[in-house]
Amino acid sequence: MAMHVNKPEYVDTDEAVRYLDGSRLSRPFSMPAPQRLIAAGFLVVALGIGAYLGFKVIDEVVNAPARAAASVEENLNRDVALDLPSLPALVSYSDEDIRATFSDAGYTIYDKTEEEIAAAGVGFDLIKLPSDVSLEEAGLLYLQGIQNLSAADAAKVLNGSWEMTADRSSGTDFRVKYADFASGSVDAAVQNAIIAEGLDSSTYGDSGVDGSGNTFQTGTVDIDGYTYNWQVSACELSGVYSVDGLPDTAVYVGVRLYS
């Protein structure tokens, strides 16, 4: 069955057609002066922020490595003395006498000695800090771990410092370890350590490169009628601390005196 749709009939009312006034739409758009000033201010601020952020990004990419290298160089050129302890001169001292010697010398000492060892009186583990590094600052840096520091911070705490350990639980075993930034090579660092420790006039033994890649020299020395063995070992500092940015010529040195 077909459906019928009722359509409205058109009725001509014969009335005039009214049109809206569109003259306002045809006018050129113009922002009021106060608003133009505000918009211009926002634009200037936005451009300034954009320029600043762009400069920071470019500066970080281009200049940051140069600044980091300069900081490392500055920390390596500080006026801090290594003041390496002479193991042959200290081997007959008690632990208390050694500590007193370091205190009298004005060294700032970071004590790593384990409580059990200290209580038993069989040794110690002491770090002599650079003269311009406080105990508080050193504590924060060492807690992070040298390998986790920036090259500048690592250079600051390593340059002018050494670590000395003593173990008297079975005989005598004295050791000192430090970073050498001055010698320029592993071989030179070994020879300079032997001279600094006063071992160059003693009897030399084996030398060469051990299974771990360390260059070493051994020998014996007579101290107060007793014969002690000694060994000086060295390797590239990067083999001990993986810190990008430290000099490739930096060396890690270890000196041992034992009986």
Side-chain angles (χ1 to χ4, degrees):
M1 185 171 103
M3 295 182 64
H4 297 279
V5 179
N6 294 325
K7 298 181 178 180
E9 294 183 0
Y10 172 76
V11 178
D12 187 359
T13 61
D14 197 25
E15 293 182 1
V17 178
R18 297 181 178 180
Y19 295 95
L20 296 175
D21 183 3
S23 61
R24 292 182 177 271
L25 299 178
S26 62
R27 295 176 183 175
F29 177 76
S30 178
M31 184 181 294
Q35 295 183 15
R36 286 202 304 271
L37 291 175
I38 294 173
F42 278 117
L43 179 60
V44 170
V45 171
L47 290 174
I49 293 174
Y52 173 76
L53 294 177
F55 171 79
K56 292 288 289 183
V57 171
I58 295 174
D59 180 65
E60 189 67 24
V61 173
V62 176
N63 298 322
R67 283 198 298 269
S71 295
V72 171
E73 192 68 21
E74 180 181 354
N75 282 330
L76 292 180
N77 290 329
R78 286 153 43 229
D79 185 18
V80 289
L82 182 58
D83 293 324
L84 197 65
S86 173
L87 300 187
L90 296 174
V91 72
S92 60
Y93 284 27
S94 68
D95 293 351
E96 292 76 15
D97 288 340
I98 292 175
R99 290 176 183 272
T101 298
F102 293 163
S103 177
D104 292 343
Y107 299 159
T108 302
I109 298 295
Y110 181 74
D111 196 336
K112 290 179 57 183
T113 309
E114 296 180 3
E115 292 183 5
E116 297 79 3
I117 294 176
V122 293
F124 56 75
D125 186 352
L126 308 175
I127 296 178
K128 176 260 182 185
L129 301 177
S131 56
D132 59 355
V133 176
S134 67
L135 275 174
E136 293 76 14
E137 184 177 9
L140 292 174
L141 293 174
Y142 278 114
L143 283 175
Q144 296 179 57
I146 299 296
Q147 67 278 0
N148 297 320
L149 299 178
S150 67
D153 284 341
K156 183 174 185 178
V157 76
L158 289 175
N159 185 27
S161 72
W162 42 258
E163 180 175 1
M164 180 179 173
T165 60
D167 183 356
R168 304 177 192 270
S169 59
S170 177
T172 300
D173 191 346
F174 279 18
R175 306 184 189 212
V176 63
K177 301 177 289 184
Y178 60 96
D180 183 339
F181 295 101
S183 293
S185 70
V186 171
D187 290 333
V190 169
Q191 295 305 314
N192 288 336
I194 291 173
I195 295 171
E197 287 295 308
L199 299 169
D200 50 325
S201 60
S202 60
T203 302
Y204 282 55
D206 294 335
S207 64
V209 179
D210 63 22
S212 300
N214 300 309
T215 298
F216 71 92
Q217 175 68 61
T218 66
T220 59
V221 60
D222 182 271
I223 303 173
D224 297 332
Y226 295 93
T227 299
Y228 292 85
N229 300 297
W230 60 265
Q231 178 171 318
V232 176
S233 303
C235 66
E236 293 181 355
L237 184 63
S238 59
V240 179
Y241 299 122
S242 180
V243 179
D244 292 335
L246 291 176
D248 295 336
T249 56
V251 180
Y252 190 75
V253 183
V255 182
R256 183 186 181 195
L257 185 69
Y258 61 99
S259 63

